Amino acid sequence: SAAYPGRTACWLVRLNSGGEKIWDMTLGNLVVCQAIAPAANGGWLVAGNITDDEHTNFWAARLAKEN
């Protein structure tokens, strides 16, 4: 996975029932993931916030079933 030294990143890891990694990904920098849920299409919904020195913005993303 990508590393962001000195910054916050959202690291997602999907495991199979045996605990083995299927995939992992890192979302951006200065990103905090606050919720993840399965989507009706088999993908995933992820939500969180991005904070800089002056602002906090909320975001949401839909990951494809293949991820």
Side-chain angles (χ1 to χ4, degrees), residues 17-65:
S17 60
E20 298 169 323
K21 183 173 71 172
I22 298 171
W23 55 257
D24 71 327
M25 69 173 54
T26 304
L27 299 177
N29 57 22
L30 303 178
V31 173
V32 177
C33 289
Q34 296 179 326
I36 186 167
N41 68 354
W44 298 93
L45 303 173
V46 184
N49 66 52
I50 301 171
T51 302
D52 61 22
D53 292 335
E54 299 177 22
H55 303 94
T56 297
N57 293 303
F58 295 95
W59 60 270
R62 183 179 61 189
L63 305 178
K65 182 178 180 179

